[in-house]
Amino acid sequence: MAASGFEGFEKRLELHFFGDDPASGLSLSHHGLRLLDSGSLEDVLHAVQCTIVSAVGNQYFDSYVLSESSLFIYPTKIIIKTCGTTQLLKSVRPLIVLARTLGLSLGSCRYTRGSFIFPEAQPFPHTSFKDEVVYLEESLPSSLCFRKASIMHSKVGSHSWHVFTACDATAEMAVRPVPDDLFTIEVCMTELDRAQARKFFQSPGRVGKFTGDSAGRAMTALTGIDQINPAALICDFAFEPCGYSMNGIDGDRYSTIHVTPEDGFSYASYECVGSVYDDLNDVIRVLRKVGQIFRPGTMSVSITCPSADSWTWVARALEPLGLKRRSCNMDEFPEAGTVVFQTFTMTTARRETLDEGIDPHEDVKQLGCAPWY
């Protein structure tokens, strides 16, 4: 393990708002939070310590790739996910103020993250989960009275799941973090397969010769990320000399991937939203494809869902890849659904099988990626 490096594990914040006048509430035909101007967004992101590098939107929401992860803005919902040493929670207060200028009030808040690889490098208020919870408690309006903070541990010491939720008991059902038919999947992967991770490097001779957008498109195609959901519109970006981010848009649903490929602290994440009405085989195929692309040594899957019934398929998706489930924990959050947190590790036999016959430079030459040894 490297003594220091870039922190891949993201912090994730999801805020739901509702209109002060329910009779004239915001539907998909209204822009709501999407009316926030670029200057206001930049001010919020400046406080967080990140910037916008690419953007795309459709009739449902706007998607932004950030210098450290992603931002999604719906008419009444904002999701911000940032990595590194960003100060994500410093966005809470300004976002609440900006929403008020649009006639919107905060109805619920959900904050999640994994266990930092380099916790000592995190600035306040991310110095500890206790500090984060105190900061959130002080930032949120008192109307969000249903609150709970929990650390979900696992048998894999490097992977734990931190969750804080707060809900307004009087808010409409539409602003609850987990509608009855939706679930959110958050995947964290460490110890990425070296051959796969190498595809997210640019060779020294080509750094500066490609835009982040063009290099990102090449990485998306080379790795098969574009096949996770072929129907999605992808906004991707490659960083120099290494690293990758992607936001996918498919109707009113988003997906996102972020990769920190450096050896010693390699990390990748995948996140998407699904419905209980989706074909389960499609959901299994998506998660299995993610596992195949990165071949992680350790993988955690957190599902936030209306009930605890939506988790049993995860092992079916990953165990054929040689990822053995090590732990499974569940916790209920008042008015915010159930969180199911599972961890998996690659069996030694399967890792050796994957390594056999792999040309360490296979496919890498196509993109001009630089092996690190």
Side-chain angles (χ1 to χ4, degrees), residues 225-239:
I225 285 174
D226 56 347
Q227 295 305 306
I228 295 175
N229 178 6
L233 171 64
I234 292 178
C235 180
D236 39 23
F237 195 89
F239 298 90

Side-chain angles (χ1 to χ4, degrees), residues 156-205:
V156 181
S158 58
H159 283 247
S160 295
W161 197 240
H162 305 67
V163 185
F164 172 88
T165 63
C167 293
D168 185 340
T170 64
E172 302 171 10
M173 288 297 294
V175 304
R176 302 288 167 82
V178 187
D180 290 341
D181 62 337
L182 296 181
F183 58 86
T184 301
I185 302 174
E186 298 173 71
V187 179
C188 299
M189 297 167 279
T190 56
E191 307 152 61
L192 308 183
D193 178 84
R194 289 189 173 188
Q196 299 301 96
R198 206 164 15 247
K199 297 175 183 179
F200 297 97
F201 277 76
Q202 298 183 56
S203 66

Side-chain angles (χ1 to χ4, degrees), residues 27-265:
S27 66
L28 289 177
S29 62
H30 294 77
H31 293 293
L33 294 165
R34 299 176 71 181
L35 292 174
L36 293 174
D37 61 83
S38 59
S40 296
L41 290 178
E42 288 171 359
D43 288 343
V44 172
L45 295 176
H46 178 73
V48 175
Q49 298 186 350
C50 61
T51 58
I52 296 171
V53 299
S54 190
V56 68
N58 63 10
Q59 69 188 91
Y60 299 102
F61 67 102
D62 296 314
S63 160
Y64 301 88
V65 175
L66 306 178
S67 54
E68 280 83 12
S69 301
S70 296
L71 165 66
F72 302 97
I73 302 181
Y74 290 77
T76 58
K77 176 174 66 176
I78 289 182
I79 299 169
I80 310 183
K81 190 170 186 174
T82 64
C83 55
T85 55
T86 51
Q87 296 170 281
L88 175 61
L89 295 185
K90 289 191 175 181
S91 67
V92 174
R93 289 169 181 160
L95 285 173
I96 293 174
V97 172
L98 287 172
R100 285 175 184 158
T101 66
L102 300 173
L104 296 171
S105 299
L106 185 63
S108 67
C109 167
R110 181 157 65 96
Y111 174 69
T112 57
R113 69 167 174 85
S115 296
F116 296 129
I117 300 174
F118 306 109
E120 68 285 349
Q122 291 297 316
F124 181 82
H126 300 286
T127 39
S128 70
F129 187 54
K130 179 180 178 180
D131 289 341
E132 291 171 320
V133 171
V134 170
Y135 190 89
L136 281 165
E137 296 272 9
E138 295 175 346
S139 301
L140 298 175
S142 58
S143 57
L144 273 64
C145 56
F146 290 129
R147 303 184 180 190
K148 181 175 178 177
S150 176
I151 300 178
M152 304 176 71
H153 298 284
S154 74
K155 293 182 179 179
V156 181
S158 58
H159 283 247
S160 295
W161 197 240
H162 305 67
V163 185
F164 172 88
T165 63
C167 293
D168 185 340
T170 64
E172 302 171 10
M173 288 297 294
V175 304
R176 302 288 167 82
V178 187
D180 290 341
D181 62 337
L182 296 181
F183 58 86
T184 301
I185 302 174
E186 298 173 71
V187 179
C188 299
M189 297 167 279
T190 56
E191 307 152 61
L192 308 183
D193 178 84
R194 289 189 173 188
Q196 299 301 96
R198 206 164 15 247
K199 297 175 183 179
F200 297 97
F201 277 76
Q202 298 183 56
S203 66
R206 297 192 181 188
V207 170
K209 296 183 178 180
F210 295 93
T211 66
D213 297 310
S214 62
R217 283 193 297 272
M219 290 180 183
T220 298
L222 175 65
T223 57
I225 285 174
D226 56 347
Q227 295 305 306
I228 295 175
N229 178 6
L233 171 64
I234 292 178
C235 180
D236 39 23
F237 195 89
F239 298 90
E240 295 181 351
C242 64
Y244 170 90
S245 288
M246 177 281 280
N247 291 342
I249 293 180
D250 185 6
D252 62 351
R253 301 184 187 184
Y254 71 89
S255 59
T256 185
I257 290 175
H258 303 284
V259 185
T260 300
E262 292 97 325
D263 192 22
F265 49 94

